Each structure stands twice: as C-alpha cells, then as structure tokens.
Amino acid sequence: MLFPNTEHQRLNISFKSVKDHNGGSCEYVLGMYALVFVLIMALASMQVMRYKAGSDITEDALAASALAALDADPYIYGQTHSIIINDPRRARGIFESALRDNMKLNDSFEPKGSDPSYIKGRVTVDDFRVYKVEGDRVTEYTVGNYTVTENEGVYGEMTTPSGKDVRSAGVYAEISYEASGFLGISVNAGKNTYVEMMANPDMEHMPEDP
C-alpha cells in the first residue's frame, strides 16, 4: 500500500538561471578584451604619430643645418653658379653649431631640459662629408672628430653613402639618437641628408667622350 506522502519528490531544477549567468559572464569577458584591444591600438597609434612627428622635425633640422654648412657667398654663387668649400673642418663646425640650434641641444648635443621631448639622450654625428666639384673631378672629404679623409672620383660616378649623385659642391650628414615615446618606450633612430645648392649648368651639358 502506497501513501502519497511517501513517494520521492521530483526536484524541480531550472537551468535557465545558470545559462543566463554563464552567458552574461562571457559577454563581460569579451567586452573587457575588446576594450583592452582598443586601448592598445589607440596607444600604438599615438606612439607611431609621436615618432612620425619627431622624425619630421629632425629631418627638417638636419637639412637646414647641412645647408648652413655650405656657407655660400651669394655674390660668387650668382656669378659662377658654383660653391667652393675650402675648409671641410670649418664646414662641420658650422653644421654642428646649426644642428644644436635647430634641434635645441646643449653643447653636449643633449636636449635642453625636456625640450625637445622626442629626443632622449645624446645626438651623435655619425658621418659628415663635404663634396667639392672642379671640372670633371669630384673630391670627397670625410670629416671626423679629429681627422679628415680625402677621396677623389670622376664627375657622374661619385655618390653619397645614401646613393645620391654628386652634381655640385654639397654636404652629406648622418646622425643618430634615441627617440623617446609613451610609457618610457624608446627606439634607436637614424637620419641622413644630402644638400647641394644647384648643379653646375656647364657640367650638365658636358659632351660625352666618344
């Protein structure tokens, strides 16, 4: 004989709340991952923009400093359309002085205070060369801290370390520095430039040897 009260009661278990709870947790975790990803991408973009801005400023300053090193006499240049650099070591001195001014560096080639903020540490002049053109002969002067090395070549065949053709008197300069970014991240950066006022028009139309 069975009594109703003696039967086992069936457990009424609902999985809806468990399912809803797990689904909400997944959405929360995915949302956090998405937010972190967006923040990382934003920081990366800002870092790239910072490096790009610093790079553009450095390129302009480097080119302006190299132009200053040409130290052309306007009267002579207007008459002959050529530049003669008789003292390569003096040209490097002019370049370094202009570089300090244009990049806001002190006498040790380090940033003055926190300006410019994109440079961390010392700026180094890694290479400085002066090119002198006389007729069909090109003379390259590599000016170091204590020495000047001379190398001669033929007009039309002489090139700078960056691969630019030497057409008239000019200056090649190369620098390196540590570029500073967000969160203390820094990278080694290097820039080079070659400037010349104008190619000698007489050399441009020289007849080729038969």
Side-chain angles (χ1 to χ4, degrees):
M1 184 174 180
L2 298 175
F3 295 96
N5 294 334
T6 60
E7 292 184 1
H8 291 288
Q9 297 287 331
R10 291 186 177 181
L11 296 177
N12 185 15
I13 301 175
S14 174
F15 294 93
K16 182 177 180 181
S17 61
V18 177
K19 181 178 180 181
D20 290 346
H21 177 73
N22 290 337
S25 297
C26 290
E27 292 177 358
Y28 176 78
V29 172
L30 291 175
M32 289 298 296
Y33 275 118
L35 179 60
V36 171
F37 177 77
V38 170
L39 289 175
I40 292 175
M41 292 300 296
L43 287 174
S45 299
M46 294 179 68
Q47 183 73 68
V48 172
M49 291 175 62
R50 183 183 179 90
Y51 286 142
K52 181 64 169 60
S55 175
D56 292 342
I57 294 173
T58 302
E59 288 178 358
D60 292 342
L62 181 60
S65 302
L67 280 171
L70 288 176
D71 195 27
D73 185 322
Y75 177 78
I76 295 177
Y77 178 75
Q79 294 293 320
T80 64
H81 295 287
S82 62
I83 300 172
I84 302 298
I85 302 176
N86 294 317
D87 190 347
R89 185 173 293 282
R90 177 174 178 272
R92 172 158 178 160
I94 295 173
F95 166 78
E96 291 182 346
S97 178
L99 186 69
R100 287 194 297 268
D101 291 339
N102 292 328
M103 295 188 69
K104 300 179 180 179
L105 307 174
N106 59 26
D107 292 340
S108 299
F109 289 88
E110 296 175 345
K112 295 179 179 179
S114 59
D115 188 19
S117 59
Y118 62 90
I119 298 176
K120 180 180 180 181
R122 188 173 186 271
V123 176
T124 303
V125 179
D126 298 316
D127 199 349
F128 184 84
R129 306 187 186 205
V130 172
Y131 293 91
K132 183 177 179 180
V133 178
E134 294 179 309
D136 61 350
R137 186 182 65 182
V138 180
T139 305
E140 176 190 66
Y141 299 93
T142 303
V143 187
N145 292 324
Y146 306 103
T147 60
V148 178
T149 304
E150 184 176 333
N151 178 39
E152 290 191 355
V154 179
Y155 183 88
E157 297 180 1
M158 177 72 75
T159 61
T160 68
S162 60
K164 299 289 184 64
D165 294 329
V166 177
R167 301 172 299 170
S168 66
V171 168
Y172 172 86
E174 182 177 335
I175 64 172
S176 62
Y177 60 96
E178 195 173 358
S180 177
F182 285 107
L183 305 177
I185 299 174
S186 60
V187 296
N188 293 324
K191 296 290 180 183
N192 66 73
T193 189
Y194 174 64
V195 298
E196 55 185 14
M197 294 294 288
M198 176 179 161
N200 191 329
D202 296 330
M203 296 297 295
E204 291 292 331
H205 299 93
M206 287 184 61
E208 296 182 359
D209 295 333

